[in-house]
Amino acid sequence: MYGQQTIRGIVVDKENQPLPGVAVAIKSTATGTVTDIDGNFSFTTDQSLPFALTISFLGYRTQEVDVYEANEIITITLSEDINLLNEVVVTGVAEGTSRKRLSFALTKIDDELINIVPATDASTSLRGKVAGLRIDQSGGNRGASVYLRGAKSVAGNIEPLIVVDGFVTGLKLSDISPNDIESIEVVKGAAASALYGTRGEGGIIQILTKKGNKNKRIAIMVDNEVGFSNVLLLPPTSKFHHYKVNADGSFLLVDDKRVIDYQENGFSVNLHPYKEYHDNVKNVLGDNTYFTNSVAVSANEDKYTAYLSAQNQYKGGISDAVDADTKQSVLFNLTYKATPRITADVTAQYSYANNPSNAVSTRANGLLYSTLLVEPHINLAEKDSEGKYVFFPKGSDLSGQQWDNPLYRLSNAEYSYITENLLLGGKFRYRITDNLSAEASASLQNRHYNTEEYYPIGFRTVSPNIDLNNGNYALSTLKESTKNGQLQLNYNRKTGDFDWGIAAKYVYEAYQLTGFNASGRNLTAPVKSLDVTEASTRDISSSWAKTINYGYFLNAKIGWRDKLFLDVLGRLDQSSRFGRDASTAFFPRASLAYRLTEDVKLGPVDELKLRVAYGQAGSLPPFGARESKVAIEGSGGVSYTQNDNTNLKRAITEETELGFDAILFNRVNVQFNYAFSNSTNDFISVPAFAPISGSANIYDNLGAVKSNSFELEINGNIIDQKNFKWSSGIAFSRVRSKITSLGSVPEFTQNGYRKAVGASTTAIYGYSIFSDLSQLVTNGQGYVTNAGDGTKRVEDYVVNEFGVVVEKAALGTANEAPVFYVNPATGNSKIIGEASPDFIVGFSNTFSVGPVTLYSVFDWQQGGEKFNETAQYLSYVYRSEFTDLTAQAGKPLNFTTLVFNASQVTDYWIESTTYLALRELSLSYKIPTQKLGINKWVNDANLSLIGRNLFILTNYKGVNVDGIAQDGFNYPTYRIISGKLTINF
């Protein structure tokens, strides 16, 4: 076609938002234009059709589009440039820095990987996406703890510092709504977190919240999700009992009691199915509703950008007998550009959460504890004529052990567990000259935690309980306040081939905690108030803590020819948490990066940047540790006085990090890190003198830990065609931590882990049942020395069908019993397991075919072990799969009891936590708003089917394979299946 042709179109991003300033030109010519503020373009040409347009914009991939017809409106969607080295990051640096200039490792997760399947809170949004990160989720859809690059303390992992939009906070990731997150930046070790000094030893996670639309218009986003949740992982339980039955299968009762049905040998038992079988897990822990509602409004004008959002979340997840966990949150961000040189930011974030599930999260009061342990002839969900759960369900009198019906407790007592978080912050930036700028910021973050528990008069318990039967009321409040102020000067300029800059900063941090706890019993009226409790029963206490930190740092950086970069930083810290002789500490960092591909062409390797970094960061001791020196007085009995621990220093981690960043085929990003660290001066609490009632503890800098971490992250657009796109990512990590010193303290056990020089920080300690004859040790006379009484030889033992070593003479008799490891010198205990995994891998994939997108995240953990106390205790009450199998094999009841081992940590109940989990799955459809004729009102709309924790493939037979600590009837892990509709106006 010849003559004048008018070419029109609009250029948008992946969110269907218009992109202004995009260059649009006919390929290989200068004919073209740029898009206006609404992303529209139009130009006239006499070039014959068809021809190709080249569309280019900074930060987005250049795209070519074929044009066959004139006068039609062409819609062009640009994808962000996958070259991560062009991104600007703000964590661990004095001011925003391009990643190609960054000389230490940083992982950035954009909202695309966060909000496709938004986690129930931000604490699990990084699972499977960041190498070197481990999630510890004790159960269910509750908040998790996040750890980076292994343990930095003898006590174990240290949680990272949470920074929100540059403001240092006391928040946890579980406090933050994923819907408000624009991106997350993670710096994992001291080489990067030295900038944060005393509080950076556990690494840094910075949340960058959404700031508003990029264009001059108002945009409204409405997002609604609704679905259901149910229990994902439970241990197998018994469906049989070992009591005598009548001809109809009912229990045979003698003097109103059941009788054990022994076989003719007098020690094995016969199993019988329950005549009446109630699936208490299904009846009590069935499907429950889950939904979230959120709305966001963003606007942009010449001088301001604003964003306002609100969210309501309803997490029914434990049982309909318990009110759902709920959370409401509001976010407001405003950026105001007063002049081209002066900019101000204001943020206000507030959330209100009520978590009644806390009432059932403990073992003794937990719903899972009862639903698994209570025999299935008892229906825990039984109700009376008024529709209320009964205290003593039918058949309860036949059980040897009486149970409080948790459903009775939950429907008669009242609970409230409320957490409020408020963050207010402001920033001011002034570019004084082209080279000199100043920044100031201040923030206030308050966290209030309030609880109430109320038991009415006449509350029933199986055994008389003076604390509850005549009513009880308890309340507690905890208020935490964190204040942060910063002043910074930046000077940057270019001199010949060198780009260099200096930044100086002053930081002020203040933290204060106040708490109040009170309870009383014997109510005189049915009122939730301490005033109606009996005065003599009231227990009142309070808590208080305050910390002031000052920081001063100087950061110098220089780049040569945009390929060699050096960064040197020193931070001086002062803190009130330490002794007066050690209140000041210095934290250095030095890092170097070289872009090799600027000098050497490496074929398909478009970018290769080599990095090395060294740094130090620290952590705070418990409040009051600096007053933990003790003066002992012996007159009139032993007493002590606590004095100032003047030499208490910071725990310090020094780390060296080696790595590289690469881009292959201009599509695939690769980051590799090897980091090794040495943590010293760790805080260990030791008794002030021989254990005497009332003895104080001294905190001293005694511990040391070494860690190393291998990390590999690969992600990119594997296929990027017009009708089919595939992007993929993999995050691999292997982390090891070992205790290298305890000072003068003898090895000890803490939370089930053995703290010993040379051991891992997560070495599981307990008793051992032999499973192989090769484990038996003999002396010169051939007698076994680590089992029995020293009179047996190896040939006197045999392994039975359950993989347990027993005495050969006792096999198949009433005396068959497991053989335990013995060592009088160590109390018959030893290290019996390792909780740290061999490695962790995350896989993420996004496939797009036309308007349909499939997204998934798999999480694979190989190795690592856990004490399955849940399965162990089920065997004690003959409710486990193990007790069925031992009975069917003709073992004596006492064999099961001995393997149970009085609920002690025992290696028979140590299980591998290897698993493969489908954590996130989304199938979404982009609604054709233009074809439906609604594009005048709706910019775009998406309908999604979402799954969270859809399945876990594992041989682990506990409640929760995710938590790092032992499995003791944890809050159960849940899957959530839902549908979501997102509309952008």
Side-chain angles (χ1 to χ4, degrees), residues 20 322 578 756 820:
V322 187
F578 303 96
F820 283 82

Side-chain angles (χ1 to χ4, degrees), residues 362-417:
T362 60
R363 168 175 165 166
N365 293 326
L367 280 176
L368 191 66
Y369 184 74
S370 299
T371 54
L372 291 176
L373 292 179
V374 171
E375 289 186 73
H377 70 275
I378 301 171
N379 181 13
L380 288 176
E382 181 184 339
K383 296 182 179 180
D384 60 20
S385 58
E386 298 179 0
K388 297 181 179 180
Y389 290 109
V390 300
F391 169 69
F392 210 55
K394 179 182 176 183
S396 298
D397 55 330
L398 296 178
S399 297
Q401 183 174 357
Q402 299 299 311
W403 307 91
D404 284 313
N405 186 351
L407 300 181
Y408 167 83
R409 176 178 65 91
L410 293 167
S411 58
N412 284 273
E414 297 180 31
Y415 307 89
S416 175
Y417 303 91

Side-chain angles (χ1 to χ4, degrees), residues 529-598:
S529 171
L530 282 175
D531 294 336
V532 300
T533 63
E534 184 180 324
S536 62
T537 70
R538 293 172 191 162
D539 184 6
I540 300 176
S541 64
S542 64
S543 56
W544 179 88
K546 187 174 183 178
T547 303
I548 303 294
N549 296 326
Y550 298 96
Y552 313 85
F553 77 68
L554 188 66
N555 180 209
K557 57 184 180 181
I558 186 169
W560 179 65
R561 292 187 175 180
D562 207 30
K563 62 183 177 182
L564 186 64
F565 308 100
L566 175 66
D567 183 298
V568 179
L569 178 143
R571 171 163 175 157
L572 195 68
D573 259 15
Q574 296 175 325
S575 176
S576 63
R577 282 278 181 102
F578 303 96
R580 63 174 179 267
D581 296 336
S583 60
T584 301
F586 178 71
F587 299 97
R589 180 180 80 197
S591 56
L592 180 69
Y594 170 50
R595 295 176 66 197
L596 178 64
T597 43
E598 291 296 292

Side-chain angles (χ1 to χ4, degrees), residues 62 76 283 438 750 899 939 976:
T62 299
I76 302 167
N283 294 340
Q750 186 179 55
V899 174
N939 288 331
I976 300 175

Side-chain angles (χ1 to χ4, degrees), residues 88-200:
V88 174
V89 297
V90 296
T91 307
V93 291
E95 56 183 329
T97 302
S98 167
R99 287 188 66 164
K100 73 179 179 181
R101 294 174 171 267
L102 204 62
S103 45
F104 54 81
L106 180 146
T107 299
K108 183 175 181 179
I109 305 298
D110 293 319
D111 66 325
E112 182 177 351
L113 291 181
I114 298 170
N115 291 323
I116 292 181
V117 181
T120 54
D121 61 65
S123 65
T124 56
S125 59
L126 296 176
R127 192 197 302 269
K129 301 162 190 170
V130 178
L133 177 144
R134 190 175 185 191
I135 300 288
D136 179 13
Q137 189 170 22
S138 61
N141 52 18
R142 309 183 69 196
S145 296
V146 177
Y147 305 112
L148 299 168
R149 283 188 180 168
K152 305 298 188 297
S153 168
V154 169
N157 296 299
I158 298 174
E159 290 197 62
L161 177 66
I162 304 301
V163 180
V164 179
D165 294 328
F167 303 114
V168 174
T169 74
L171 292 170
K172 295 181 177 294
L173 280 176
S174 56
D175 295 323
I176 300 169
S177 168
N179 282 21
D180 290 328
I181 297 175
E182 181 70 31
S183 63
I184 300 177
E185 294 182 358
V186 182
V187 291
K188 304 166 190 175
S193 59
L195 180 73
Y196 300 89
T198 296
R199 300 179 63 186

Side-chain angles (χ1 to χ4, degrees), residues 11-13 17-24 34-36 54-63 78-81 86 214-215:
V11 181
V12 298
D13 62 13
Q17 300 298 318
L19 293 175
V22 178
V24 180
V34 295
T35 58
D36 62 20
T54 300
I55 299 92
S56 57
F57 190 47
L58 182 64
Y60 291 80
R61 297 190 65 187
T62 299
Q63 187 170 325
L78 290 186
S79 300
E80 292 186 42
D81 193 343
N86 289 329
K214 303 174 184 177
N215 310 299

